[in-house]
Amino acid sequence: MVEEDRRVYEALRAGHVAEVRAALMDHVARLDWPSERIDRYRTERLRALLVLARARSPFHAERMRGLDPATATVDDLARLPPMTKQDSQEHWDAIITTPGLDRAGAERVLAEERWFSYTPGGLQVFSSGGSSGVRGVYVWDRAQFVTLACLAWRWQVRAERAAGTETHPALLAVLESGEPPHASTPLFDVATGPGMHTVVIPAAAPFEQVRAAVADARPTHLVGYASVVGRLARASTAGELDVRPVRVSTNSEPLSEEDHDAIEAAWGAPVHNLWGSTEIGVQAVGCGYGEGLHICADEVVLERVDADGHPVGPTEPAARTLATGLAGQAFPFIRYDLGDEVTLLPDICPCGSAMPRVAAIAGRRDDDFRYGTLTVPASAFRHVLGTDPRIVEYQVHQTPGGADVLVVGSPDTARVAAALVASLRPYGLADAEIAVRTVDRIPRHATTGKLTRFVALGR
């Protein structure tokens, strides 16, 4: 039965992917729009979303009392309260704008789904693993998927058109969740040109299986979870993997400096890092040329705000980032709290695009550990664990007085533990209790394939 479900899905999806390829030309052109045109387009997209949300979503209608969506601007969004993940799941039936589908119906789709699927109305239903403590159920409509796929792939297509290699034979290895209900596989398993084929390799499989599958596929292009691609790059440098991708795209996890450097050292290929979420889809993507990531400013509004949700200036520190996804009309996310902190980059990118940029995303503030009144940022651990060349992967489990750390590789565990104690001391955690042990493998999430690097107490 699963094979029949896959056959039906793939037949429908083939037309959907064709729509993506048809729309890519327009999206690639947008990357060279002047900032004034980007702003005008974004304003009209925002008004269209707000009008629909107010008319069809009781949740958003209540939030927009006193706001005229037909004349609203990006600045007017500050008049609305932030939206949280808990809001989105507790008020699900009051948020969705599509008739005939409620939370119970969406749950039935997920429960009965043997493979990825479309509802009779052309919607796709996804679920998150709940790593933040709240399980999420999400809906993408047909047009939204087309937009999100274009946002994910347009920088790569732009570069290949400029190089004249767009129609060359290519094989894309997709290192994502591999199966429902996570959205990563449908979003990235997209052949962007007529000469490209794809192969999906589940990222949750043991690394040796992943490495062997990549070796067999011999891809010209790689896309996948940042930690998986980084580990493959190290295997390539060590002579354990003979592949030479000409372009690499990473997503779903923060791309650490050590993983980025490993990819460049192994293959010398441009790296397109993507910052996204199932809620918004794609927020920013690296062009593979300049520093940081380009905000998808034509389809996403990002607001850096203080602790009270008020916007801050470009050079001021922000407590968090709120996002409005302009393509998400079936289930609108408006001023949604992403849980990430971002820093704007002030200059125009050397690639020539006027799309604004943010610095590389270090990760969610949810990764920070709290010990009573003290907060220790995840970066205090990353600085030590991510720079040790003998550590292949790591996972940090918070304990009441410190952390238990699992590492794959052959580091000097006593030296690593001492370095972590020293790294945590400036944050007020004197003489932290740190235990470091080596393991053969760190399990990934069974459904999403993601590696949870930081596990707080109570999770």
Side-chain angles (χ1 to χ4, degrees):
M1 288 298 294
V2 174
E3 287 305 314
E4 175 63 16
D5 290 345
R6 290 185 67 164
R7 186 190 65 77
V8 171
Y9 169 75
E10 292 297 343
L12 292 171
R13 177 173 165 79
H16 213 175
V17 172
E19 289 183 50
V20 173
R21 286 200 289 264
L24 268 169
M25 185 176 298
D26 169 63
H27 275 270
V28 170
R30 295 185 197 179
L31 300 179
D32 293 314
W33 282 0
S35 57
E36 295 81 5
R37 185 172 181 182
I38 296 170
D39 291 344
R40 287 198 305 271
Y41 182 87
R42 181 179 60 180
T43 297
E44 295 304 326
R45 291 283 281 165
L46 174 64
R47 289 170 180 170
L49 175 69
L50 296 179
V51 167
L52 178 74
R54 182 167 182 171
R56 294 189 180 177
S57 164
F59 173 82
H60 287 302
E62 175 64 23
R63 297 174 72 217
M64 280 189 258
R65 285 192 304 172
L67 177 70
D68 181 1
T71 61
T73 65
V74 167
D75 291 341
D76 290 326
L77 287 174
R79 297 163 59 183
L80 307 180
M83 178 182 179
T84 66
K85 183 169 185 177
Q86 191 159 346
D87 288 335
S88 72
Q89 301 309 304
E90 288 184 354
H91 302 284
W92 209 96
D93 290 350
I95 295 173
I96 191 161
T97 65
T98 303
L101 184 65
D102 57 12
R103 175 62 179 262
E107 293 284 14
R108 282 195 298 273
V109 169
L110 293 171
E112 297 169 2
E113 194 173 52
R114 289 180 290 264
W115 193 248
F116 295 107
S117 65
Y118 294 91
T119 69
L123 302 174
Q124 296 178 85
V125 182
F126 303 110
S127 176
S128 72
S131 60
S132 64
V134 180
R135 174 176 173 272
V137 175
Y138 310 102
V139 175
W140 292 358
D141 64 35
R142 191 172 184 87
Q144 180 179 2
F145 173 82
V146 171
T147 295
L148 299 185
C150 287
L151 297 183
W153 287 111
R154 61 185 180 178
W155 285 102
Q156 293 89 321
V157 172
R158 177 189 194 237
E160 295 192 341
R161 286 183 179 175
T165 59
E166 181 191 8
T167 59
H168 288 190
L171 191 140
L172 170 69
V174 183
L175 308 168
E176 303 291 345
S177 59
E179 60 184 34
H182 198 253
S184 62
T185 299
L187 183 60
F188 298 112
D189 182 20
V190 174
T192 57
M196 177 178 282
H197 299 278
T198 68
V199 58
V200 176
I201 301 170
F207 178 73
E208 288 309 310
Q209 291 183 25
V210 174
R211 182 180 62 80
V214 172
D216 288 343
R218 301 188 65 81
T220 59
H221 295 59
L222 273 177
V223 61
Y225 296 163
S227 62
V228 177
V229 179
R231 190 168 179 184
L232 288 170
R234 292 184 184 87
S236 184
T237 298
E240 300 166 355
L241 177 64
D242 184 17
V243 295
R244 295 175 177 81
V246 298
R247 197 163 293 279
V248 174
S249 305
T250 56
N251 57 68
S252 300
E253 303 166 337
L255 176 62
S256 65
E257 282 189 36
E258 59 269 21
D259 282 341
H260 183 277
D261 291 347
I263 294 167
E264 284 202 334
W267 301 313
V271 181
H272 300 270
N273 187 29
L274 181 146
W275 173 42
S277 60
T278 314
E279 296 93 327
I280 305 300
V282 182
Q283 289 113 226
V285 183
C287 62
Y289 187 76
E291 179 186 358
L293 292 82
H294 288 270
I295 299 170
C296 302
D298 50 335
E299 296 289 350
V300 177
V301 177
L302 293 183
E303 300 174 78
R304 299 170 64 255
V305 299
D306 60 21
D308 296 320
H310 302 309
V312 299
T315 60
E316 297 179 73
R320 58 189 191 274
T321 306
L322 307 182
T324 300
L326 305 182
Q329 296 197 351
F331 197 98
F333 284 91
I334 299 170
R335 297 203 89 210
Y336 179 71
D337 189 346
L338 289 170
D340 292 297
E341 294 179 272
V342 301
T343 300
L344 295 176
L345 297 178
D347 301 323
I348 295 293
C349 181
C351 78
S353 176
M355 293 285 179
R357 291 181 296 159
V358 294
I361 310 301
R364 298 177 59 88
R365 298 180 69 228
D366 294 348
D367 286 342
D368 298 347
F369 289 162
R370 288 164 183 79
Y371 300 86
T373 59
L374 301 176
T375 297
V376 175
S379 59
F381 291 93
R382 288 195 186 100
H383 175 70
V384 174
L385 300 169
T387 56
D388 190 322
R390 291 178 293 180
I391 294 177
V392 177
E393 284 187 343
Y394 63 87
Q395 186 177 64
V396 184
H397 294 254
Q398 184 185 15
T399 63
D404 290 337
V405 183
L406 306 179
V407 296
V408 176
S410 57
D412 182 335
T413 55
R415 187 172 182 176
V416 171
L420 287 171
V421 170
S423 182
L424 302 186
R425 191 171 291 124
Y427 298 96
L429 200 65
D431 301 319
E433 299 171 1
I434 302 293
V436 180
R437 63 186 176 95
T438 58
V439 295
D440 293 331
R441 178 183 175 223
I442 299 173
R444 292 174 173 268
H445 191 282
T447 300
T448 67
K450 290 185 182 182
L451 175 63
T452 301
R453 289 202 186 273
F454 298 93
V455 182
L457 279 171
R459 287 192 185 175

